[in-house]
mmCIF file of all heavy atoms in Angstrom:
data_model
loop_
_atom_site.group_PDB
_atom_site.id
_atom_site.type_symbol
_atom_site.label_atom_id
_atom_site.label_comp_id
_atom_site.label_asym_id
_atom_site.label_seq_id
_atom_site.Cartn_x
_atom_site.Cartn_y
_atom_site.Cartn_z
ATOM 1 N N ILE A 310 -69.515 -17.452 -23.562
ATOM 2 C CA ILE A 310 -68.989 -16.500 -22.575
ATOM 3 C C ILE A 310 -69.335 -15.081 -23.000
ATOM 4 O O ILE A 310 -69.203 -14.711 -24.172
ATOM 5 C CB ILE A 310 -67.462 -16.650 -22.419
ATOM 6 C CG1 ILE A 310 -67.127 -17.969 -21.716
ATOM 7 C CG2 ILE A 310 -66.868 -15.482 -21.638
ATOM 8 C CD1 ILE A 310 -65.636 -18.215 -21.550
ATOM 9 N N SER A 311 -69.765 -14.287 -22.032
ATOM 10 C CA SER A 311 -70.039 -12.860 -22.226
ATOM 11 C C SER A 311 -69.067 -12.062 -21.370
ATOM 12 O O SER A 311 -68.646 -12.529 -20.306
ATOM 13 C CB SER A 311 -71.481 -12.544 -21.806
ATOM 14 O OG SER A 311 -71.682 -11.145 -21.678
ATOM 15 N N ILE A 312 -68.695 -10.880 -21.810
ATOM 16 C CA ILE A 312 -67.826 -10.040 -20.972
ATOM 17 C C ILE A 312 -68.617 -8.972 -20.223
ATOM 18 O O ILE A 312 -68.044 -8.125 -19.549
ATOM 19 C CB ILE A 312 -66.690 -9.379 -21.777
ATOM 20 C CG1 ILE A 312 -67.231 -8.431 -22.847
ATOM 21 C CG2 ILE A 312 -65.762 -10.433 -22.372
ATOM 22 C CD1 ILE A 312 -66.163 -7.516 -23.434
ATOM 23 N N GLY A 313 -69.942 -8.996 -20.324
ATOM 24 C CA GLY A 313 -70.738 -8.027 -19.569
ATOM 25 C C GLY A 313 -72.141 -7.903 -20.125
ATOM 26 O O GLY A 313 -72.449 -8.391 -21.214
ATOM 27 N N ASP A 314 -72.985 -7.255 -19.370
ATOM 28 C CA ASP A 314 -74.390 -7.118 -19.742
ATOM 29 C C ASP A 314 -74.613 -5.917 -20.648
ATOM 30 O O ASP A 314 -75.253 -4.927 -20.278
ATOM 31 C CB ASP A 314 -75.250 -7.017 -18.482
ATOM 32 C CG ASP A 314 -75.208 -8.296 -17.661
ATOM 33 O OD1 ASP A 314 -75.031 -9.365 -18.261
ATOM 34 O OD2 ASP A 314 -75.348 -8.221 -16.430
ATOM 35 N N TYR A 315 -74.040 -6.021 -21.827
ATOM 36 C CA TYR A 315 -74.236 -5.005 -22.854
ATOM 37 C C TYR A 315 -73.983 -5.681 -24.195
ATOM 38 O O TYR A 315 -73.445 -6.789 -24.251
ATOM 39 C CB TYR A 315 -73.293 -3.812 -22.669
ATOM 40 C CG TYR A 315 -71.879 -4.193 -22.352
ATOM 41 C CD1 TYR A 315 -70.967 -4.466 -23.363
ATOM 42 C CD2 TYR A 315 -71.436 -4.291 -21.034
ATOM 43 C CE1 TYR A 315 -69.667 -4.826 -23.075
ATOM 44 C CE2 TYR A 315 -70.135 -4.653 -20.737
ATOM 45 C CZ TYR A 315 -69.258 -4.916 -21.768
ATOM 46 O OH TYR A 315 -67.965 -5.287 -21.485
ATOM 47 N N VAL A 316 -74.382 -5.030 -25.272
ATOM 48 C CA VAL A 316 -74.282 -5.640 -26.594
ATOM 49 C C VAL A 316 -73.248 -4.897 -27.440
ATOM 50 O O VAL A 316 -73.256 -3.659 -27.492
ATOM 51 C CB VAL A 316 -75.645 -5.633 -27.310
ATOM 52 C CG1 VAL A 316 -75.519 -6.268 -28.695
ATOM 53 C CG2 VAL A 316 -76.683 -6.391 -26.480
ATOM 54 N N LEU A 317 -72.360 -5.630 -28.082
ATOM 55 C CA LEU A 317 -71.352 -5.065 -28.972
ATOM 56 C C LEU A 317 -71.670 -5.460 -30.413
ATOM 57 O O LEU A 317 -72.550 -6.277 -30.668
ATOM 58 C CB LEU A 317 -69.966 -5.575 -28.579
ATOM 59 C CG LEU A 317 -69.500 -5.213 -27.164
ATOM 60 C CD1 LEU A 317 -68.205 -5.941 -26.827
ATOM 61 C CD2 LEU A 317 -69.315 -3.713 -27.021
ATOM 62 N N THR A 318 -70.947 -4.892 -31.355
ATOM 63 C CA THR A 318 -71.203 -5.198 -32.757
ATOM 64 C C THR A 318 -70.716 -6.575 -33.156
ATOM 65 O O THR A 318 -71.123 -7.108 -34.193
ATOM 66 C CB THR A 318 -70.545 -4.147 -33.669
ATOM 67 O OG1 THR A 318 -69.141 -4.089 -33.371
ATOM 68 C CG2 THR A 318 -71.170 -2.772 -33.459
ATOM 69 N N GLY A 319 -69.844 -7.168 -32.371
ATOM 70 C CA GLY A 319 -69.330 -8.492 -32.700
ATOM 71 C C GLY A 319 -68.525 -9.067 -31.553
ATOM 72 O O GLY A 319 -68.325 -8.413 -30.520
ATOM 73 N N GLY A 320 -68.039 -10.278 -31.734
ATOM 74 C CA GLY A 320 -67.310 -10.956 -30.673
ATOM 75 C C GLY A 320 -65.818 -10.701 -30.652
ATOM 76 O O GLY A 320 -65.099 -11.267 -29.815
ATOM 77 N N GLU A 321 -65.330 -9.841 -31.539
ATOM 78 C CA GLU A 321 -63.888 -9.618 -31.623
ATOM 79 C C GLU A 321 -63.314 -8.963 -30.368
ATOM 80 O O GLU A 321 -62.289 -9.421 -29.828
ATOM 81 C CB GLU A 321 -63.557 -8.783 -32.861
ATOM 82 C CG GLU A 321 -63.600 -9.551 -34.165
ATOM 83 C CD GLU A 321 -65.003 -9.869 -34.656
ATOM 84 O OE1 GLU A 321 -65.957 -9.182 -34.203
ATOM 85 O OE2 GLU A 321 -65.169 -10.775 -35.492
ATOM 86 N N LEU A 322 -63.931 -7.896 -29.901
ATOM 87 C CA LEU A 322 -63.431 -7.237 -28.689
ATOM 88 C C LEU A 322 -63.534 -8.153 -27.469
ATOM 89 O O LEU A 322 -62.573 -8.240 -26.689
ATOM 90 C CB LEU A 322 -64.171 -5.919 -28.458
ATOM 91 C CG LEU A 322 -63.874 -4.810 -29.478
ATOM 92 C CD1 LEU A 322 -64.742 -3.583 -29.200
ATOM 93 C CD2 LEU A 322 -62.406 -4.422 -29.450
ATOM 94 N N PRO A 323 -64.663 -8.850 -27.254
ATOM 95 C CA PRO A 323 -64.694 -9.811 -26.153
ATOM 96 C C PRO A 323 -63.613 -10.883 -26.262
ATOM 97 O O PRO A 323 -63.016 -11.278 -25.256
ATOM 98 C CB PRO A 323 -66.096 -10.419 -26.271
ATOM 99 C CG PRO A 323 -66.917 -9.342 -26.879
ATOM 100 C CD PRO A 323 -66.007 -8.666 -27.852
ATOM 101 N N ALA A 324 -63.344 -11.371 -27.464
ATOM 102 C CA ALA A 324 -62.302 -12.388 -27.635
ATOM 103 C C ALA A 324 -60.944 -11.840 -27.214
ATOM 104 O O ALA A 324 -60.144 -12.553 -26.589
ATOM 105 C CB ALA A 324 -62.253 -12.862 -29.085
ATOM 106 N N MET A 325 -60.675 -10.588 -27.544
ATOM 107 C CA MET A 325 -59.404 -9.983 -27.141
ATOM 108 C C MET A 325 -59.314 -9.841 -25.636
ATOM 109 O O MET A 325 -58.247 -10.056 -25.031
ATOM 110 C CB MET A 325 -59.224 -8.627 -27.824
ATOM 111 C CG MET A 325 -58.688 -8.730 -29.227
ATOM 112 S SD MET A 325 -58.222 -7.139 -29.938
ATOM 113 C CE MET A 325 -59.800 -6.627 -30.606
ATOM 114 N N VAL A 326 -60.429 -9.483 -25.001
ATOM 115 C CA VAL A 326 -60.449 -9.346 -23.537
ATOM 116 C C VAL A 326 -60.147 -10.685 -22.874
ATOM 117 O O VAL A 326 -59.295 -10.789 -21.988
ATOM 118 C CB VAL A 326 -61.815 -8.805 -23.073
ATOM 119 C CG1 VAL A 326 -61.952 -8.935 -21.553
ATOM 120 C CG2 VAL A 326 -61.985 -7.349 -23.480
ATOM 121 N N VAL A 327 -60.851 -11.728 -23.301
ATOM 122 C CA VAL A 327 -60.646 -13.055 -22.717
ATOM 123 C C VAL A 327 -59.224 -13.545 -22.985
ATOM 124 O O VAL A 327 -58.551 -14.071 -22.100
ATOM 125 C CB VAL A 327 -61.679 -14.051 -23.282
ATOM 126 C CG1 VAL A 327 -61.375 -15.471 -22.793
ATOM 127 C CG2 VAL A 327 -63.093 -13.643 -22.864
ATOM 128 N N CYS A 328 -58.755 -13.347 -24.197
ATOM 129 C CA CYS A 328 -57.411 -13.779 -24.575
ATOM 130 C C CYS A 328 -56.352 -13.075 -23.733
ATOM 131 O O CYS A 328 -55.441 -13.714 -23.200
ATOM 132 C CB CYS A 328 -57.193 -13.498 -26.056
ATOM 133 S SG CYS A 328 -55.654 -14.155 -26.717
ATOM 134 N N ASP A 329 -56.471 -11.766 -23.602
ATOM 135 C CA ASP A 329 -55.503 -10.996 -22.820
ATOM 136 C C ASP A 329 -55.492 -11.438 -21.360
ATOM 137 O O ASP A 329 -54.435 -11.610 -20.748
ATOM 138 C CB ASP A 329 -55.835 -9.508 -22.918
ATOM 139 C CG ASP A 329 -54.810 -8.639 -22.217
ATOM 140 O OD1 ASP A 329 -54.889 -8.519 -20.972
ATOM 141 O OD2 ASP A 329 -53.933 -8.075 -22.886
ATOM 142 N N CYS A 330 -56.680 -11.657 -20.805
ATOM 143 C CA CYS A 330 -56.786 -12.010 -19.386
ATOM 144 C C CYS A 330 -56.141 -13.357 -19.086
ATOM 145 O O CYS A 330 -55.334 -13.473 -18.161
ATOM 146 C CB CYS A 330 -58.262 -12.015 -18.971
ATOM 147 S SG CYS A 330 -58.509 -12.323 -17.209
ATOM 148 N N ILE A 331 -56.487 -14.368 -19.865
ATOM 149 C CA ILE A 331 -55.948 -15.693 -19.555
ATOM 150 C C ILE A 331 -54.472 -15.810 -19.950
ATOM 151 O O ILE A 331 -53.707 -16.520 -19.290
ATOM 152 C CB ILE A 331 -56.772 -16.818 -20.208
ATOM 153 C CG1 ILE A 331 -56.772 -16.719 -21.728
ATOM 154 C CG2 ILE A 331 -58.194 -16.812 -19.674
ATOM 155 C CD1 ILE A 331 -57.542 -17.842 -22.409
ATOM 156 N N ALA A 332 -54.063 -15.074 -20.981
ATOM 157 C CA ALA A 332 -52.677 -15.156 -21.437
ATOM 158 C C ALA A 332 -51.701 -14.672 -20.370
ATOM 159 O O ALA A 332 -50.571 -15.177 -20.274
ATOM 160 C CB ALA A 332 -52.490 -14.350 -22.718
ATOM 161 N N ARG A 333 -52.109 -13.725 -19.566
ATOM 162 C CA ARG A 333 -51.228 -13.176 -18.532
ATOM 163 C C ARG A 333 -50.800 -14.226 -17.518
ATOM 164 O O ARG A 333 -49.777 -14.078 -16.851
ATOM 165 C CB ARG A 333 -51.919 -12.021 -17.805
ATOM 166 C CG ARG A 333 -52.291 -10.876 -18.709
ATOM 167 C CD ARG A 333 -53.103 -9.800 -17.980
ATOM 168 N NE ARG A 333 -52.254 -9.069 -17.035
ATOM 169 C CZ ARG A 333 -52.283 -9.240 -15.727
ATOM 170 N NH1 ARG A 333 -53.122 -10.118 -15.202
ATOM 171 N NH2 ARG A 333 -51.502 -8.531 -14.949
ATOM 172 N N TYR A 334 -51.605 -15.280 -17.364
ATOM 173 C CA TYR A 334 -51.323 -16.288 -16.351
ATOM 174 C C TYR A 334 -50.636 -17.525 -16.923
ATOM 175 O O TYR A 334 -50.381 -18.482 -16.189
ATOM 176 C CB TYR A 334 -52.621 -16.674 -15.629
ATOM 177 C CG TYR A 334 -53.155 -15.517 -14.814
ATOM 178 C CD1 TYR A 334 -54.077 -14.639 -15.355
ATOM 179 C CD2 TYR A 334 -52.692 -15.280 -13.527
ATOM 180 C CE1 TYR A 334 -54.541 -13.551 -14.632
ATOM 181 C CE2 TYR A 334 -53.149 -14.198 -12.788
ATOM 182 C CZ TYR A 334 -54.074 -13.343 -13.346
ATOM 183 O OH TYR A 334 -54.527 -12.266 -12.626
#
Side-chain angles (χ1 to χ4, degrees):
I310 290 179
S311 166
I312 63 166
D314 295 330
Y315 44 87
V316 180
L317 299 172
T318 56
E321 283 74 20
L322 291 176
M325 278 189 273
V326 168
V327 174
C328 187
D329 184 280
C330 184
I331 61 178
R333 300 174 71 255
Y334 293 93

